[in-house]
Every structure is written in C-alpha cells, then in structure tokens.
Amino acid sequence: MFEKKTSHSREVLELIDKEFPDEVFDTIISRTVRFSESTVAGVPVTAYASSSTGSASYRRLARELIARGGAKSVAELVCREQMNYLEILQR
C-alpha cells in the first residue's frame, strides 16, 4: 500500500513509474485505517467499509485489471518482467 505522507513512498512510486511505465497500474491503493480495522475484524475491507477510499481503490484496480485482460495476462507480464530483471542482475 502507498503511504502518501512519506517521501520514501513517493520516491519509490516515481522510480517504479519511470522503470515500468507500461506495466504499472494507474490505480494507487493508499493506506487507510480501514485496512487495519477490517483485518482485526477478519473481514475484507470491501465488506467492512464498502464506501471507504480503500474499497473504492480496490474496485478501481479490479476494473483496471479486467480491462488489461485479466489476472492471467497480468501475471504473465509480471513473470516476464521478473525474468528480465533477473537477467539484468546476473550481468
């Protein structure tokens, strides 16, 4: 989750966007207290606080994932990128 209050989170997000411009989702899941509360309650945040910012972000991410071809195509892309990264590290 993204913590917009810390410069480290903002710097990491900027680096990821720069390195993987076509692979990074537009949706950002920002940390909220509702995530912690829903974890303690043992309920998904989308059920615990369905109108919260976090729930809305997860629904937006799901729509974005579907629009990109679903989880399988995204998982394949992630695996390909990880393999490319490992190749770079081995050089």
Side-chain angles (χ1 to χ4, degrees):
M1 279 182 264
F2 179 71
E3 180 59 64
K4 62 184 172 188
K5 295 177 184 176
T6 68
S7 59
H8 175 71
S9 288
R10 291 189 303 271
E11 289 168 2
V12 168
L13 181 60
E14 185 179 323
L15 287 171
I16 291 170
D17 281 339
K18 186 191 288 187
E19 286 294 318
F20 307 101
D22 298 327
E23 290 85 18
V24 176
F25 288 101
D26 295 327
T27 302
I28 296 174
I29 309 292
S30 294
R31 183 180 302 276
T32 70
V33 69
R34 298 292 179 235
F35 289 115
S36 300
E37 292 173 353
S38 70
T39 300
V40 170
V43 179
V45 71
T46 51
Y48 179 81
S50 62
S51 62
S52 70
T53 304
S55 292
S57 295
Y58 272 113
R59 286 190 297 273
R60 191 169 39 256
L61 178 61
R63 286 191 296 273
E64 192 175 348
L65 178 65
I66 292 166
R68 289 192 184 193
K72 182 178 179 185
S73 64
V74 172
E76 290 169 354
L77 177 65
V78 168
C79 287
R80 220 175 15 252
E81 288 301 320
Q82 287 176 343
M83 294 302 292
N84 290 341
Y85 180 69
L86 291 173
E87 288 174 12
I88 290 169
L89 288 178
Q90 292 174 352
R91 292 180 192 166

